[in-house]
């Protein structure tokens, strides 16, 4: 972790005494592969915490341990002051979990799906009926409540998938990349819902590999890669990691791999990585080094078609911290 | 435990809606038992429901014994006997399907038998009536053996126009390879007597039971594939509860399907299952044994389709070996001994002992004990192996 992150962590950003979620030292290996290597964070009521990292970073594995559906090799999870153990029901009841993949029964109706999970969470029948109605309203599924979910569109399934997690009024909502493969309209609706829930005081743990989502939703973000949180803080704190550095985005054609490698070897450039149609650079005093950059690219058999100096963002922070692009 | 029932009743509701479980558990086995018993058994449980013809060119003591003393016993079984008059007539009747088979007793048969000269009784069979032809041939062979006439051979002619002799021989060979359910069933040893309808109903119910009880383990794998297992694990529900729920689901489906088949076959097919208490105990221990085995098989699979496939292979193999379709368990020594590895064999054995009211609960307790032990061992291994199945979601 960076110095900034270290000074911030351990100090809950809200003034509430106890965080809703407190997890620390989480570790999980699959065989020889360390999927999560010592992850920890806290989330307070009303706070949205984002885990931002590329595919394979360890987000789902972390979340699975937080929600108690995967046994952990090491570490602790405390929800609402109650430790989460394999047999604990109190801690689990306080969590609403939205799996990355859809988790609804296709041959049951929306209402039946809600009722089943409501009963598993020990809700009374009257309460289930009442609360299902609310959830179906919120998710915009009220007029399709009695239809089998295999007749739903992708977006509707996604919304029900989230609705089921909210049914039992959890104090912590955990969402694992809920917008992957969702049309823009449903995506907006989902982000809006999360904002509203957080506004109503719910603690939210949100994983994503979309920088924009993390920036829009999250009060604090943990940047995760290779099973470790590389830095943590508010957007401003994280961007400060870049210091005097600029994020330069080149659109280019030709041998981008070679060009990026050549650029990375330059002393003036902190990080260089290529994407499909260009190269991203992190460096100080970008404007002064521009001629050198263009020359290096040209020598590497590539051609720059445009140069953008991007306002510092989490993507640049990720690049600076890991030397990798968040997305390829 | 309450949660286990909530999950199990959800699974039952899904299977009612899905229908395929209902087909596996109830519709298919009943339809098959009904068809088999109609084709092979007849309406009242023991009647043969076929017609045989005789052509008596001999007119001597040998043909008289066959026609007046042996064949009338077929009549008691429900078969009809007619005189075909001539070989030509018999052939035509067989071709037209009016008779299943005809016995042709050639001129000079009695004389030949008495002087130990070579002679032949010919059976003309309707190619469509395989079983009827088999019975006729069996009767003729039994008759020849009884006469102790070493030189009396039995020829079979399939009445299908001008077939060439080698073809007939081939058919004959094939035909004699087909086991004869009715006869074999009736020759079953000691008190273990199934009438044919009860045998078919029991065999098929037991055969399908091993498919039905798979559904719990298969649905667990299905939940993993559909992602809902993650949600169950995140809910305040222990892993043991989830596994118990699937076990309850399998058990209820298995017991329900057996019960429905037993009741339906009793009323619609005239099956006689025997002592209700004994049958209930056998059924419950059979469901238990089948569940243990098929859950264990499912833990070898990584997807629900694979589990269903493996389960089917095991179900068919052990079902055939254990004598649910043909009582091959009473066949040659090796197979008979081998068949005891199959739980089907133990289930069929105890149901056979009870059928027709011959045996009581006490008679089947040893077999029940074997089934319970079998279920406990396979089930324990399956439970042990399922820990990783539930954990590695
Ligand atoms: N069941 C599993 N068996 C083996 N390796 C796994 C399993 N689940 C995840 N991994 C590995 O662990 C790492 C982290 O995966 P995951 O937590 O799913 O990442 P993310 O959700 O950030 O994409 C990846 O390298 C992945 O390949
Ligand atoms: Mg993931």
């Amino acid at each position: 972790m960076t110095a900034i992150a270290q000074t911030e962590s351990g100090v809950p950003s809200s003034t509430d005494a106890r965080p809703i979620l407190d997890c620390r030292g989480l570790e999980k290996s699959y065989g020889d592969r360390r999927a999560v290597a010592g992850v920890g964070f806290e989330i307070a009521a009303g706070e949205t915490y984002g885990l931002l990292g590329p595919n394979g970073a360890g987000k789902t594995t972390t979340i699975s341990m937080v929600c108690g559906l995967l046994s952990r090799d090491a570490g602790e999870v405390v929800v609402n002051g109650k430790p989460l153990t394999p047999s604990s029901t109190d801690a689990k009841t306080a969590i609403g979990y939205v799996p990355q993949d859809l988790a609804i029964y296709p041959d049951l109706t929306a209402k039946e799906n809600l009722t089943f999970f409501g009963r598993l969470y020990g809700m009374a029948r009257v309460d289930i009926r009442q609360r299902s109605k609310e959830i179906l309203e919120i998710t915009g599924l009220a007029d399709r409540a009695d239809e089998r979910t295999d007749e739903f569109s992708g977006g509707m399934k996604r919304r029900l998938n989230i609705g089921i997690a909210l049914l039992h009024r959890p104090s912590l909502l955990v969402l694992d990349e809920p917008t992957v493969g969702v049309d823009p309209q449903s995506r907006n609706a989902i982000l809006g819902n999360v904002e509203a829930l957080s506004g109503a005081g719910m603690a939210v743990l949100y994983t994503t590999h979309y920088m924009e989502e993390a920036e829009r939703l999250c009060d604090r973000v943990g940047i995760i890669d290779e099973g470790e949180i590389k830095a943590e803080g508010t957007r401003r704190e994280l961007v400060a990691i870049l210091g005097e550095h600029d994020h330069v985005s080149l659109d280019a054609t030709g041998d981008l791999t070679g060009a990026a490698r050549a650029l990375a070897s330059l002393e003036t450039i902190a990080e260089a990585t290529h994407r499909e149609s260009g190269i991203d650079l992190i460096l100080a005093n970008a404007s002064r080094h521009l001629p050198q950059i263009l020359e290096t690219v040209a020598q590497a058999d590539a051609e720059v078609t445009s140069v953008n100096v991007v306002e510092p963002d989490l993507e640049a922070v990720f690049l600076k911290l890991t030397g990798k692009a968040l997305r390829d | 435990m309450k949660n286990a029932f909530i999950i199990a009743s959800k699974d039952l509701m899904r299977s009612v809606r899905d229908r395929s479980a209902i087909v596996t558990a109830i519709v298919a086995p009943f339809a098959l038992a009904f068809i088999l018993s109609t084709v092979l058994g007849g309406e009242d449980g023991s009647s043969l429901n076929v017609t045989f013809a005789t052509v008596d060119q001999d007119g001597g003591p040998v043909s008289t014994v066959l026609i007046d003393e042996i064949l009338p016993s077929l009549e008691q079984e429900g078969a009809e006997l007619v005189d075909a008059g001539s070989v030509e007539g018999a052939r035509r009747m067989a071709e037209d399907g009016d008779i299943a088979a005809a016995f042709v007793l050639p001129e000079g048969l009695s004389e030949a038998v008495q002087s130990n000269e070579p002679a032949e009784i010919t059976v003309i069979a309707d190619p469509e009536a395989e079983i009827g032809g088999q019975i006729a041939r069996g009767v003729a062979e039994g008759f020849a053996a009884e006469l102790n006439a070493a030189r009396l051979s039995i020829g079979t002619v399939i009445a299908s126009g001008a077939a060439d002799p080698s073809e007939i021989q081939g058919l004959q060979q094939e035909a004699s390879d087909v086991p004869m359910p009715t006869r074999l069933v009736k020759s079953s040893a000691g008190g273990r007597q199934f009438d044919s309808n009860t045998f078919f109903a029991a065999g098929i119910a037991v055969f399908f039971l091993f498919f039905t009880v798979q559904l719990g383990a298969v649905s667990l794998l299905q939940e993993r594939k559909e992602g809902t297992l993650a949600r169950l694990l995140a809910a305040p529900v222990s892993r043991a509860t989830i596994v118990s729920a699937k076990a309850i689901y399998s058990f209820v489906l298995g017991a329900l399907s057996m019960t429905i088949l037993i009741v339906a076959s009793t009323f619609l097919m005239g099956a006689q299952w025997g002592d209700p208490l004994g049958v209930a105990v056998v059924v419950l221990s059979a469901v238990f044994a089948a569940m243990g085995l098929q859950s264990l098989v499912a833990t070898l699979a990584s997807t629900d389709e694979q589990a269903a496939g493996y389960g089917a292979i095991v179900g068919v193999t052990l079902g055939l070996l254990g004598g649910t379709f043909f009582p091959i368990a009473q066949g040659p020594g090796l197979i008979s001994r081998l068949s005891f590895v199959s739980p089907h064999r133990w289930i069929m054995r105890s149901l056979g002992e009870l059928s027709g009211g011959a045996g009581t609960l006490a008679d089947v307790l040893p077999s029940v004990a074997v089934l319970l032990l079998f279920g406990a061992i396979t089930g324990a291994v399956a439970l042990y192996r399922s820990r990783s199945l539930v954990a590695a979601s």
Side-chain angles (χ1 to χ4, degrees), chain A residues 92 102-103 105 107 112 161, chain B residues 14 17 223 226 231 233:
Chain A
K92 277 176 151 186
L102 284 176
Y105 294 104
D107 44 9
E112 286 165 345
N161 199 41
Chain B
R14 291 184 74 193
R17 197 160 292 180
E223 296 229 28
E226 286 173 352
R231 193 155 239 153
L233 289 168

Side-chain angles (χ1 to χ4, degrees), chain A residues 67-71 86 88-89 92-93 97-99 101-109 112 116-117 119-122 148 160-162 164-165, chain B residues 2-4 6-11 13-15 17-18 222-223 226-239 246 390-393:
Chain A
C67 296
L69 54 109
L70 188 65
S71 61
S88 68
T89 53
K92 277 176 151 186
T93 308
Y97 167 60
V98 182
D101 300 314
L102 284 176
I104 53 182
Y105 294 104
D107 44 9
L108 300 186
T109 68
E112 286 165 345
F116 169 65
F117 284 106
R119 294 187 66 199
L120 274 193
Y121 279 87
R148 285 169 57 131
L160 179 62
N161 199 41
I162 296 174
I164 292 171
Chain B
K2 187 179 154 221
N3 281 333
I6 292 173
I7 298 173
S9 50
K10 179 264 302 172
D11 287 334
M13 180 162 112
R14 291 184 74 193
S15 55
R17 197 160 292 180
D18 174 30
Q222 198 182 350
E223 296 229 28
E226 286 173 352
T228 45
L229 181 58
R231 193 155 239 153
L232 293 182
L233 289 168
V237 172
S238 69
R239 279 150 226 273
K246 300 303 175 181
V390 183
S393 57

Side-chain angles (χ1 to χ4, degrees), chain B residues 97-157:
Chain B
D98 294 336
I99 57 168
F103 299 88
V104 179
L105 310 165
E107 211 178 320
L109 174 68
S110 298
E111 251 168 72
V113 169
Q114 277 155 2
S115 57
N116 209 13
E117 293 284 311
E120 185 179 70
I121 296 177
T122 308
V123 173
I124 299 174
D126 168 10
E128 311 261 299
E130 209 169 274
I131 303 294
Q134 283 296 325
I135 293 170
R137 193 183 159 84
V139 168
E141 263 164 7
F143 177 58
E146 222 164 288
L147 285 177
N148 205 4
R151 311 196 67 181
L152 177 61
S153 59
I154 310 299
T156 309
V157 173

Side-chain angles (χ1 to χ4, degrees), chain A residues 120-230:
Chain A
L120 274 193
Y121 279 87
M123 295 171 72
R125 280 184 184 276
V126 195
D127 193 23
I128 292 176
R129 209 171 306 136
Q130 168 74 27
R131 185 74 182 138
S132 295
K133 229 166 142 186
E134 284 170 30
I135 296 290
L136 289 165
E137 290 294 340
I138 296 171
T139 51
L141 296 170
D143 52 344
R144 311 284 296 267
D146 293 313
E147 269 177 51
R148 285 169 57 131
T149 62
D150 52 6
E151 306 190 340
F152 283 12
S153 71
M156 292 166 70
K157 287 180 192 166
R158 284 269 158 206
R159 280 181 272 150
L160 179 62
N161 199 41
I162 296 174
I164 292 171
L166 294 170
L167 185 76
H168 63 285
R169 304 184 186 85
S171 39
L172 171 69
L173 180 65
V174 178
L175 301 105
D176 196 359
E177 308 214 37
T179 60
V180 170
V182 168
D183 64 279
Q185 205 181 338
S186 292
R187 178 165 176 262
N188 249 327
I190 290 171
L191 296 181
N193 280 340
V194 174
E195 281 171 332
L197 289 163
S198 163
M202 193 176 278
V204 179
L205 172 55
Y206 191 99
T207 80
T208 183
H209 65 271
Y210 296 121
M211 176 199 71
E212 305 84 0
E213 292 186 0
E215 293 198 333
R216 171 173 164 187
L217 289 180
C218 302
D219 301 305
R220 284 187 306 133
V221 173
I223 290 186
I224 185 170
D225 189 41
E226 293 179 347
E228 288 177 27
I229 294 193
K230 304 290 184 186

Side-chain angles (χ1 to χ4, degrees), chain B residues 44-307:
Chain B
D44 71 359
S46 62
S47 89
L48 279 169
N49 203 21
V50 287
T51 306
F52 295 109
T54 52
V55 181
D56 185 9
Q57 297 168 333
D58 177 35
V62 170
S63 67
T64 308
V65 169
L66 183 73
I67 291 170
D68 292 350
E69 285 172 33
I70 309 285
L71 294 184
S73 72
L74 283 179
E75 263 179 326
Q76 276 164 19
E77 299 269 338
E80 209 179 311
L81 287 180
V82 295
D83 187 347
S86 68
V87 175
E88 250 329 290
R91 193 182 290 274
R92 213 171 28 248
M93 288 165 89
E95 259 174 41
D96 295 348
D98 294 336
I99 57 168
F103 299 88
V104 179
L105 310 165
E107 211 178 320
L109 174 68
S110 298
E111 251 168 72
V113 169
Q114 277 155 2
S115 57
N116 209 13
E117 293 284 311
E120 185 179 70
I121 296 177
T122 308
V123 173
I124 299 174
D126 168 10
E128 311 261 299
E130 209 169 274
I131 303 294
Q134 283 296 325
I135 293 170
R137 193 183 159 84
V139 168
E141 263 164 7
F143 177 58
E146 222 164 288
L147 285 177
N148 205 4
R151 311 196 67 181
L152 177 61
S153 59
I154 310 299
T156 309
V157 173
I158 308 291
S160 54
D164 85 70
S166 67
E167 200 178 325
I168 290 175
Q169 223 168 29
L171 284 171
Q172 214 173 306
Q173 186 57 42
E174 248 170 66
S176 59
D177 287 345
V178 177
M180 290 172 43
T182 315
R183 243 167 60 93
L184 286 174
V185 169
K186 294 194 180 214
S187 70
S188 57
R192 278 170 236 143
Q193 292 243 339
F194 269 122
D195 67 85
S196 63
N197 275 2
T198 311
F199 171 75
F200 291 126
I204 284 162
V206 171
F207 181 81
F208 275 91
L209 172 65
F210 283 74
F211 288 79
T212 304
V213 296
Q214 286 192 73
L215 295 172
V218 167
S219 86
L220 184 58
L221 286 159
Q222 198 182 350
E223 296 229 28
R224 188 166 76 166
K225 186 177 74 182
E226 286 173 352
T228 45
L229 181 58
R231 193 155 239 153
L232 293 182
L233 289 168
V237 172
S238 69
R239 279 150 226 273
T241 302
I242 297 173
V243 173
S244 316
K246 300 303 175 181
I248 292 171
Y249 169 56
S250 276
F251 196 86
V252 169
L253 269 189
L256 203 65
S257 109
M258 288 294 288
T259 307
I260 292 176
L261 287 171
I262 288 169
V263 171
S265 63
T266 301
F267 288 107
L268 302 176
M269 290 163 53
Q272 296 173 325
W273 292 81
D275 176 25
L277 179 63
V279 171
V281 170
V282 170
V283 163
L284 293 182
S285 49
V287 175
F288 183 69
M291 273 174 61
L293 176 68
Q294 293 295 44
S295 310
L296 177 58
V297 169
T299 64
L300 304 175
S302 46
T303 64
D304 54 334
E305 289 97 352
Q306 217 174 44

